[in-house]
Amino acid sequence: MNTSVTNTARLLGAGLRALLVLTLLTGVLYPLAVTGIAQGLFAGKANGSEVESNGEVVGSSLIGQAYNLPLKEGQETPEPDLKWFQGRPQNGLGSNSVNTQYRLILSGATNRSADNAELVQWVKDAKAAVVKDNSVPGHPVNPADVPADAVTSSGSGLDPAISPKYADLQVQRVAEKNGLPADRVQKLVDEHTEGRTLGFMGEPRVNVLELNIALKDLAAAGR
């Protein structure tokens, strides 16, 4: 009986030591090592790819934002603030009251088929709005020139970038609303257009947050 109790105690002791060692290795040392390497080599990405403006964090380069006017009394859907470049539509996602900077904290697609009546209507309404908002005197927008990313949300619903074509389409409106020369705003878009990753992956894109920060600086400088 005593031998059996002793063996059991030894097994329990060995198991406890193994648990403590594994906890130390996998629960403390490994996370610390990974965190240290990430902070040392990829600090920006490890901290959320934060974007700063005037010394303050204003968002992430990986998450799209909405650029809307404050809600008016009786309004349920805010109107876009047309002095800024606008990102992709964000239909079909949930909203929250906790994160007030990003209205959409849930990620996911609308999961509607291409012939879904509601989705078709969303696209028609979005195209009409893009044409109306971006048509300025002397520069009407042809509905045929509205790119797909201007009227559809991305798979995640949080896409931070738009196509150069959609950015170009907004240049005249943004220039007029900010009292800037259109050619200078176009140059800003060109400067913030990124090519395909490694030259062949993905599509050319423009990060809307980074473009709007540059626009803000340009407008403040009055050039």
Side-chain angles (χ1 to χ4, degrees):
M1 180 67 97
N2 290 339
T3 301
S4 177
V5 171
T6 301
N7 289 337
T8 300
R10 288 176 178 173
L11 290 174
L12 289 174
L16 181 59
R17 287 193 296 273
L19 175 62
L20 292 175
V21 170
L22 289 174
T23 299
L24 179 64
L25 289 175
T26 62
V28 179
L29 297 180
Y30 178 73
L32 286 176
V34 171
T35 301
I37 292 172
Q39 289 294 331
L41 299 179
F42 315 102
K45 294 181 179 180
N47 292 323
S49 300
E50 295 173 339
V51 176
E52 294 187 0
S53 177
N54 297 324
E56 294 184 3
V57 176
V58 294
S60 168
S61 63
L62 303 178
I63 301 176
Q65 296 190 35
Y67 300 88
N68 295 326
L69 294 169
L71 276 173
K72 299 176 183 177
E73 186 175 352
Q75 269 189 334
E76 293 184 1
T77 303
E79 298 174 2
D81 189 342
L82 297 179
K83 72 179 182 180
W84 302 111
F85 284 92
Q86 297 293 313
R88 300 186 66 170
Q90 300 168 323
N91 289 334
L93 298 180
S95 61
N96 72 97
S97 58
V98 177
N99 189 328
T100 56
Q101 183 174 4
Y102 301 111
R103 290 285 299 171
L104 302 177
I105 200 170
L106 304 179
S107 175
T110 60
N111 291 325
R112 287 168 172 79
S113 63
D115 61 352
N116 178 271
E118 186 176 24
L119 178 60
V120 171
Q121 191 60 51
W122 279 351
V123 171
K124 288 182 178 179
D125 292 344
K127 177 175 282 192
V130 168
V131 171
K132 176 178 178 293
D133 290 344
N134 291 282
S135 292
V136 300
H139 296 279
V141 173
N142 186 336
D145 293 334
V146 177
D149 63 305
V151 297
T152 57
S153 59
S154 64
S156 69
L158 303 175
D159 197 335
I162 56 176
S163 66
K165 185 176 181 179
Y166 186 27
D168 291 344
L169 184 147
Q170 300 183 61
V171 165
Q172 295 291 337
R173 182 255 299 163
V174 170
E176 181 186 68
K177 294 291 183 181
N178 288 278
L180 295 168
D183 60 345
R184 188 64 190 89
V185 177
Q186 181 64 61
K187 183 179 179 183
L188 208 63
V189 171
D190 296 340
E191 291 171 347
H192 286 79
T193 298
E194 302 176 48
R196 291 180 171 86
T197 303
L198 299 179
F200 67 93
M201 291 192 297
E203 295 292 331
R205 60 200 177 277
V206 182
N207 187 287
V208 181
L209 174 58
E210 295 173 355
L211 178 60
N212 278 333
I213 290 173
L215 173 64
K216 179 181 177 182
D217 293 341
L218 180 65
R223 294 181 291 164

